[in-house]
Amino acid sequence: MKKLSIIAFLGLSILAFSQEKTNTPEGRKQDNALLVKADQAELDAKKKAVEEKAKLPKPYDPKANAEADINKLIAQAKKEGKNIMIQAGGNWCIWCLRFNNFVQNTPELKEAVDKNYVYYHLNYSPDNKNEKVFSKYVDIKEKLGYPFFIVLDKDGKIVHVLKDSSVLEEGKGYSKEKVQEFFNEWAPKS
């Protein structure tokens, strides 16, 4: 009896929910325009992001030997008296690509980087997660937002890790003042 009641209830429920809505007030049509507009706006935004990403330089190399590269940078940093700026992310990350492009195309920021840092783009992607290298600087079990930044001194010791680069953002890009302040704050001290 219980089974029969449950089956009957489910059958009636399906029937009720499958019926077309007909109780729209007279003279008024059901308006799905807002749903269509929201979906279209979302599709347009995704399309723009894909187009933007395609145009931006791709500085991350999934095939690179990051450990060997960073060891070379430490030797270079010692020789030049600079710190090491590691930008962690990947070519899949629009914010990573935007940051790189922003720094490279803003003369004051590029000058600050060139003067104070040897710069490295540490790849994180399905092709190469670089877990061994990342684990030297951050807890790889921790959820990290990309890009994030690891600043090392000329001897390869951690000076600072900026795990939340959203503090450098402004709108759909980055703030020149905030990024300049970040680069100045972690530059080598004389």
Side-chain angles (χ1 to χ4, degrees):
M1 186 68 174
K2 267 187 174 178
K3 285 184 181 179
L4 188 58
S5 296
I6 292 172
I7 291 171
F9 175 75
L10 289 173
L12 287 173
S13 297
I14 291 169
L15 182 65
F17 285 110
S18 66
Q19 298 298 310
E20 187 175 324
K21 183 178 173 188
T22 57
N23 62 350
T24 304
E26 188 130 341
R28 201 168 166 201
K29 292 184 180 176
Q30 190 172 354
D31 185 13
N32 290 331
L34 288 177
L35 294 174
V36 172
K37 287 178 186 173
D39 289 346
Q40 189 59 48
E42 188 176 323
L43 287 173
D44 289 345
K46 285 182 181 178
K47 182 180 175 187
K48 276 185 176 180
V50 167
E51 289 170 355
E52 178 188 2
K53 194 189 289 186
K55 292 176 186 174
L56 293 171
K58 310 293 184 287
Y60 295 92
D61 182 1
K63 294 179 179 141
N65 180 339
E67 190 168 19
D69 290 349
I70 292 171
N71 286 336
K72 288 177 191 171
L73 290 177
I74 292 169
Q76 181 183 346
K78 279 182 187 178
K79 194 158 85 173
E80 297 177 12
K82 296 180 178 181
N83 281 349
I84 300 155
M85 179 68 67
I86 299 173
Q87 181 181 326
N91 293 329
W92 51 267
C93 167
I94 189 74
W95 285 97
C96 301
L97 301 180
R98 282 177 181 158
F99 189 87
N100 176 67
N101 193 58
F102 181 65
V103 170
Q104 294 302 311
N105 291 301
T106 307
E108 303 91 332
L109 299 178
K110 181 153 177 34
E111 182 182 325
V113 166
D114 292 345
K115 177 182 173 189
N116 297 302
Y117 300 97
V118 288
Y119 208 93
Y120 188 71
H121 292 90
L122 177 56
N123 182 75
Y124 176 87
S125 67
D127 297 337
N128 186 354
K129 294 182 180 180
N130 278 310
E131 290 174 330
K132 183 179 175 189
V133 176
F134 275 109
S135 67
K136 290 181 175 183
Y137 308 113
V138 294
D139 179 358
I140 59 174
K141 293 177 185 163
E142 183 179 349
K143 185 174 181 192
L144 300 161
Y146 293 91
F148 70 89
F149 300 89
I150 303 163
V151 183
L152 307 176
D153 67 13
K154 66 181 191 274
D155 297 315
K157 291 186 175 71
I158 297 173
V159 173
H160 180 69
V161 177
L162 178 64
K163 294 179 184 178
D164 183 8
S165 63
S166 69
V167 299
L168 305 176
E169 293 174 12
E170 187 173 80
K172 293 199 186 250
Y174 289 94
S175 161
K176 184 169 85 171
E177 292 76 24
K178 291 175 185 176
V179 173
Q180 182 78 52
E181 185 179 313
F182 171 67
F183 286 152
N184 291 341
E185 184 174 354
W186 301 108
K189 309 297 180 225
S190 305

